[in-house]
C-alpha cells in the first residue's frame, strides 16, 4: 500500500539527509545508523506502519490484513538485513550461512569512534580513547601526555557547563568570532564577548520566540572540540592529532558527489575553455564561502585595487592570442 511506503520512505529519507550533511564526520555515522535501525525495528515489533496505514487496514478483512502485515514486516526486515550486510559485514554464502569477516568491520570501527561524535565529552572514558588509538593504529602519540591533555580538556568542558550561558550559545559565539578572525582564548573572554553580542543584538531579543521554532539548537561535535582546543591555555599536540584523525573520516560520499554535480553545471559546453585553476577557484568559492550577496558586494566596494584589476586585463594570467 502506498501509505505504508510513504511512511517508511519518509524515515529513510530523513536518515539519508542526515548523512548528506557536509559537516558530518565518521564519528556520527554509528549513531545515525543505530537510530535508524531502532526506528525500523520498533515498527516491525509493534506492527505500527503509520496512522494512515492503520486506518486503511482497519477497513479490510482480517485475512487481507494479515497478508499485508506480513509483507510490511518482511519489507522492513529486508532493509535491516541490507544494512547489516554492509555495515556489520554479515554477508551470506550460497548456502545462506554468514561469512566471517577477515578484517575489522565498518561497525566496529565507527562504533569505536562514536563517543567523539556526541555533544558532550563527559561520557568519554580513557578506555575508549586507547581503543581508538589501538584499533585505528594511530602512531606517534605519547599516551602519558595524551592522558594529561584529556583530563585538562574535561575540566575545561565542566567549567564551560558551569557558566550561566547555554553551551550552544557559547559555541555559536565562538564560531562567529572565528569567522571574523577574532578568536577568544579563554573562557572569560568567551563570556565577555557573548554578553557583548547579547547587548548589541536587539532584534534577536524581539524575535527569540520565532527563532526557537524555526531551527533546532544542535551542538555540532566538530564545533565543540574546536572551542575546547582553542581556549585550552596549554598546547595539546597529542589530543589535537587524535581529534583531527578521527574527524578526517567521512560519514558518506555525499559531499564528493555534490562537488561532481556542481562541476557539471560549472564546466559545461558553453564554458569548455575554462582553465583547471579557474574551475577549481569557482568550486572553492561555492563550497567554502558562506557570505551573502550584500556582504560580497560591500567587500568588493571596499577593495579599490581589486576593482581596478577586474576592469583591466591584468586579472588574466594568460592572454588570448589570435591565429592568423
Amino acid at each position: 500500500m502506498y501509505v505504508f511506503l510513504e511512511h517508511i520512505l519518509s524515515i529513510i529519507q530523513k536518515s539519508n539527509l542526515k548523512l548528506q550533511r557536509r559537516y558530518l564526520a565518521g564519528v556520527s555515522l554509528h549513531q545515525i545508523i543505530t537510530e535508524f535501525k531502532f526506528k525500523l525495528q520498533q515498527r516491525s515489533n509493534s506492527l505500527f506502519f503509520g496512522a494512515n496505514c492503520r486506518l486503511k487496514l482497519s477497513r479490510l478483512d482480517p485475512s487481507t490484513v494479515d497478508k499485508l502485515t506480513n509483507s510490511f514486516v518482511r519489507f522492513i526486515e529486508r532493509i535491516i538485513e541490507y544494512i547489516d550486510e554492509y555495515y556489520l559485514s554479515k554477508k551470506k554464502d550460497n548456502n545462506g550461512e554468514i561469512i566471517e569477516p577477515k578484517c575489522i568491520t565498518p561497525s566496529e570501527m565507527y562504533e569505536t569512534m562514536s563517543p567523539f561524535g556526541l555533544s558532550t565529552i563527559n561520557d568519554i572514558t580513557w578506555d575508549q580513547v586507547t581503543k581508538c588509538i589501538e584499533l585505528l593504529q594511530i602512531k606517534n602519540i605519547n599516551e602519558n601526555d595524551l592522558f594529561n591533555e584529556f583530563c585538562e580538556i574535561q575540566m575545561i568542558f565542566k567549567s564551560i557547563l558551569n557558566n550561566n550561558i547555554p553551551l550552544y550559545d557559547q559555541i555559536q559565539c565562538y564560531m562567529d568570532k572565528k569567522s571574523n578572525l577574532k578568536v577568544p582564548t579563554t573562557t572569560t573572554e568567551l563570556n565577555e564577548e557573548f554578553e557583548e553580542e547579547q547587548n548589541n543584538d536587539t532584534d534577536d531579543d524581539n524575535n527569540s520566540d520565532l527563532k526557537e521554532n524555526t531551527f533546532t539548537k544542535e551542538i555540532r561535535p566538530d564545533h565543540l572540540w574546536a572551542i575546547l582546543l582553542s581556549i585550552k591555555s596549554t598546547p595539546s599536540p597529542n589530543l589535537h592529532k587524535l581529534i583531527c584523525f578521527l574527524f578526517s573520516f567521512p560519514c558518506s560520499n555525499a559531499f564528493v558527489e555534490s562537488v561532481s554535480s556542481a562541476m557539471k553545471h560549472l564546466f559545461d559546453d558553453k564554458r569548455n575553455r575554462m582553465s583547471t585553476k579557474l574551475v577549481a577557484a569557482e568550486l572553492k568559492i561555492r563550497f567554502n564561502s558562506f557570505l551573502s550577496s550584500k556582504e560580497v558586494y560591500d567587500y568588493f566596494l571596499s577593495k579599490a585595487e581589486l576593482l581596478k584589476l577586474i576592469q583591466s586585463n591584468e586579472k588574466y594570467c594568460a592572454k588570448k592570442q589570435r591565429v592568423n
Side-chain angles (χ1 to χ4, degrees):
M1 296 174 67
Y2 73 92
V3 287
F4 165 75
L5 291 176
E6 181 183 10
H7 178 71
I8 296 299
L9 293 180
S10 64
I11 302 173
I12 298 176
Q13 177 67 0
K14 289 179 180 179
S15 299
N16 185 30
L17 291 176
K18 284 184 179 180
L19 293 173
Q20 293 182 25
R21 293 175 180 173
R22 288 181 54 189
Y23 59 84
L24 275 188
V27 293
S28 304
L29 181 60
H30 182 74
Q31 182 179 0
I32 294 175
I33 292 182
T34 303
E35 179 183 350
F36 174 59
K37 288 177 57 180
F38 178 78
K39 290 180 179 180
L40 292 179
Q41 192 64 55
Q42 285 294 98
R43 281 162 173 76
S44 177
N45 297 338
S46 304
L47 300 180
F48 177 76
F49 312 113
N52 293 333
C53 186
R54 182 177 62 82
L55 183 62
K56 294 285 186 180
L57 292 176
S58 64
R59 300 172 182 175
L60 302 176
D61 57 275
S63 59
T64 305
V65 171
D66 292 339
K67 184 178 180 180
L68 288 173
T69 301
N70 292 333
S71 65
F72 294 163
V73 171
R74 180 55 191 155
F75 183 84
I76 294 176
E77 289 177 348
R78 186 64 191 96
I79 296 176
I80 297 176
E81 289 174 2
Y82 180 82
I83 296 174
D84 292 343
E85 182 178 351
Y86 292 93
Y87 188 64
L88 301 179
S89 295
K90 287 186 176 181
K91 296 183 179 181
K92 299 180 180 180
D93 55 16
N94 297 331
N95 298 326
E97 298 181 357
I98 298 178
I99 304 174
E100 290 294 332
K102 298 180 180 180
C103 58
I104 180 176
T105 62
S107 61
E108 292 175 345
M109 183 180 70
Y110 288 109
E111 184 179 3
T112 304
M113 299 162 51
S114 61
F116 293 88
L118 303 176
S119 57
T120 177
I121 69 170
N122 285 336
D123 298 334
I124 303 177
T125 63
W126 176 247
D127 290 338
Q128 293 172 332
V129 175
T130 54
K131 188 177 180 180
C132 279
I133 299 174
E134 294 173 357
L135 188 66
L136 301 176
Q137 299 181 1
I138 307 176
K139 300 179 180 179
N140 300 326
I141 287 185
N142 189 319
E143 290 194 18
N144 294 328
D145 294 340
L146 177 62
F147 183 81
N148 295 329
E149 295 168 6
F150 180 67
C151 294
E152 292 173 359
I153 212 75
Q154 285 186 321
M155 292 178 61
I156 293 175
F157 182 72
K158 291 180 180 179
S159 65
I160 291 179
L161 292 180
N162 292 332
N163 293 335
N164 296 327
I165 306 170
L167 178 60
Y168 174 85
D169 295 331
Q170 294 185 63
I171 294 176
Q172 288 302 115
C173 175
Y174 164 77
M175 297 307 300
D176 293 340
K177 294 299 180 181
K178 185 178 181 181
S179 61
N180 295 328
L181 301 180
K182 182 182 178 182
V183 182
T185 56
T186 62
T187 54
T188 305
E189 290 183 13
L190 186 67
N191 295 339
E192 292 176 353
E193 291 179 355
F194 176 81
E195 293 175 358
E196 181 180 352
E197 281 191 357
Q198 292 295 100
N199 294 332
N200 294 334
D201 295 341
T202 55
D203 294 337
D204 291 346
D205 295 336
N206 297 331
N207 300 326
S208 58
D209 294 336
L210 178 61
K211 287 187 175 183
E212 288 290 337
N213 296 326
T214 54
F215 68 92
T216 304
K217 292 185 175 181
E218 179 182 358
I219 298 176
R220 289 174 45 175
D222 55 339
H223 286 177
L224 175 62
W225 283 104
I227 186 176
L228 291 175
L229 291 173
S230 66
I231 64 178
K232 190 174 180 295
S233 57
T234 57
S236 304
N238 297 282
L239 184 60
H240 187 271
K241 182 177 181 179
L242 174 63
I243 297 302
C244 290
F245 189 93
L246 295 178
F247 279 84
S248 65
F249 286 87
C251 193
S252 68
N253 61 345
F255 178 72
V256 178
E257 293 179 357
S258 64
V259 174
S260 302
S261 178
M263 193 170 67
K264 290 181 181 179
H265 298 285
L266 181 65
F267 188 73
D268 53 16
D269 294 337
K270 297 180 180 179
R271 307 181 70 190
N272 56 6
R273 299 183 65 183
M274 296 174 61
S275 64
T276 305
K277 290 184 178 180
L278 182 57
V279 174
E282 289 200 26
L283 284 175
K284 290 176 182 177
I285 293 174
R286 289 192 180 195
F287 285 94
N288 297 318
S289 178
F290 301 97
L291 298 176
S292 63
S293 300
K294 185 179 183 305
E295 290 173 335
V296 174
Y297 177 75
D298 294 338
Y299 175 79
F300 282 134
L301 290 181
S302 63
K303 302 293 182 180
E305 295 181 0
L306 183 60
L307 292 175
K308 184 178 179 181
L309 290 174
I310 292 175
Q311 296 174 354
S312 66
N313 291 330
E314 297 180 13
K315 60 179 176 291
Y316 297 109
C317 298
K319 296 183 179 181
K320 296 181 180 178
Q321 297 180 355
R322 291 186 177 183
V323 179
N324 296 329

